[in-house]
Amino acid sequence: MISFAHAQTAAASADPTGGLMQMLPMILMFVVLWFFMIRPQMKKAKEHKALLAALAKGDEVVTQGGIVGKVTKVGDSYVSVEIATGTEVVVQKPSIGLVLPKGTLKSL
């Protein structure tokens, strides 16, 4: 009886890669998740942050809500956008979604 118990423990410890092989699918799933979901989102957030840092008076922008206008004032947290002659709207900086090429508003 004792020899059977001793043989079982020896056979279980003989496989040194047993723990690694069980963790391998989990590690592989994390790597795939990183490259297909997390990394592209981080890259997009970095580009948006650079876009907001480069925002200047006179830029033509589109907000996240779809409002198109020209930037008249740039503050630390807020931006004034002229959406029509004499009509300005104050929006938060992160709500700027896109900077349009110069002259786009005239073609609309």
Side-chain angles (χ1 to χ4, degrees):
M1 274 272 240
I2 295 174
S3 63
F4 290 126
H6 183 60
Q8 287 178 351
T9 58
S13 64
D15 187 18
T17 61
L20 179 64
M21 293 307 267
Q22 290 176 350
M23 292 296 291
L24 191 62
M26 190 69 90
I27 294 169
L28 183 63
M29 284 179 17
F30 180 74
V31 170
V32 169
L33 179 76
W34 175 263
F35 279 105
F36 286 115
M37 293 182 71
I38 297 171
R39 188 170 176 244
Q41 282 184 342
M42 288 174 52
K43 185 177 179 182
K44 187 175 179 180
K46 186 178 176 183
E47 290 173 358
H48 189 256
K49 188 175 181 181
L51 176 129
L52 294 179
L55 202 59
K57 182 179 177 181
D59 286 344
E60 297 174 358
V61 297
V62 179
T63 65
Q64 296 288 341
I67 298 174
V68 180
K70 185 181 280 191
V71 175
T72 57
K73 284 190 270 183
V74 179
D76 291 336
S77 300
Y78 296 95
V79 176
S80 293
V81 178
E82 183 179 26
I83 57 175
T85 307
T87 305
E88 285 189 15
V89 178
V90 179
V91 296
Q92 290 181 335
K93 255 189 176 180
S95 70
I96 302 296
L98 179 67
V99 175
L100 299 172
K102 300 283 184 189
T104 304
L105 288 178
K106 292 181 184 177
S107 66
L108 295 178

